[in-house]
Amino acid sequence: MTLVAAAGNPEMARIHAELTKKIRIIRRLDFTSDDRITATYQEHEQILQAIFQQQTEEAQRILTDHIAFSKAEVRKITLHRLQQARLQPIE
């Protein structure tokens, strides 16, 4: 949220906050492993560096990649958990 607020667009920050609240459960899935937590911090750092260096297109590219990768990881985690649930015997 701080990254979005740093862009200086209050309306964008408001919308981002609303969306973040709606998808918080899904976003939490992306933080179930140390690798994903580390990757997320590194990706956020890269985004900030690009912003501070006024490399708008690079920041957008990194952010787009970050969102796409996170989405793919959450999908894999979700499918894995669904598969595990299917394999568990019903008591």
Side-chain angles (χ1 to χ4, degrees):
M1 293 193 124
T2 304
L3 282 172
V4 175
N9 184 331
E11 182 63 12
M12 185 180 295
R14 183 189 67 74
I15 291 169
H16 178 263
E18 286 180 17
L19 288 172
T20 299
K21 184 177 178 180
K22 289 180 181 180
I23 64 169
R24 78 175 187 279
I25 293 170
I26 294 168
R27 290 181 71 230
R28 284 182 180 256
L29 286 174
D30 199 23
F31 292 102
T32 56
S33 74
D34 289 341
D35 291 345
R36 284 303 305 144
I37 293 169
T38 300
T40 296
Y41 277 105
Q42 290 172 346
E43 292 161 5
H44 284 192
E45 180 181 5
Q46 291 171 353
I47 294 164
L48 278 173
Q49 286 176 355
I51 290 169
F52 290 146
Q53 295 170 1
Q54 298 180 347
Q55 298 174 339
T56 307
E57 290 179 9
E58 179 67 3
Q60 290 174 344
R61 184 195 64 75
I62 297 167
L63 181 58
T64 300
D65 291 349
H66 168 66
I67 292 169
F69 190 75
S70 180
K71 181 179 174 182
E73 287 298 307
V74 167
R75 181 172 286 137
K76 283 195 302 191
I77 292 166
T78 302
L79 291 173
H80 178 71
R81 289 189 178 183
L82 285 172
Q83 182 65 19
Q84 284 179 322
R86 283 187 205 132
L87 297 175
Q88 289 181 355
I90 299 174
E91 294 179 20

